[in-house]
Amino acid sequence: SDVVVNFIIGNEKACVVRKSGVMLTYKNETRADADATATGDKASLVSFFSGNYSALNITGNRDAVISLMPKSLDLPGNFGVIEP
């Protein structure tokens, strides 16, 4: 299913959208209709990616944020990333 999550890390923000199996990141944007918003500092984000799911402050649907993690961590090192 489709997922929309806002990330606010320090003074940077981004909206991550997973739609039909494709994950898109929109830098410097957030969406009012997001399933959740995750906030914290960069160290908290790294800790979150390492599996410490309590490292970030999450408002809204926590499971929506966690559902993005396996998709992010299973990418091979040579995976090509396209940014809009």
Side-chain angles (χ1 to χ4, degrees), residues 23 53 65-75:
M23 192 178 317
Y53 296 140
V65 182
I66 294 171
S67 76
L68 295 176
M69 295 308 107
K71 311 300 188 258
S72 306
L73 299 177
D74 292 340
L75 299 175

Side-chain angles (χ1 to χ4, degrees), residues 2-69:
D2 298 348
V3 175
V4 178
V5 176
N6 294 323
F7 285 90
I8 302 172
I9 306 301
N11 61 355
E12 298 179 39
K13 61 183 177 178
C15 180
V16 176
V17 178
R18 186 183 70 216
K19 185 172 182 74
S20 302
V22 176
M23 192 178 317
L24 302 169
T25 302
Y26 299 94
K27 292 181 181 179
N28 300 316
E29 292 183 26
T30 57
R31 287 183 32 185
D33 66 338
D35 297 301
T37 298
T39 59
D41 58 19
K42 289 185 180 183
S44 298
L45 182 63
V46 170
S47 183
F48 187 84
F49 273 107
S50 299
N52 179 5
Y53 296 140
S54 63
L56 291 174
N57 180 26
I58 298 173
T59 56
N61 184 349
R62 175 177 283 284
D63 291 336
V65 182
I66 294 171
S67 76
L68 295 176
M69 295 308 107

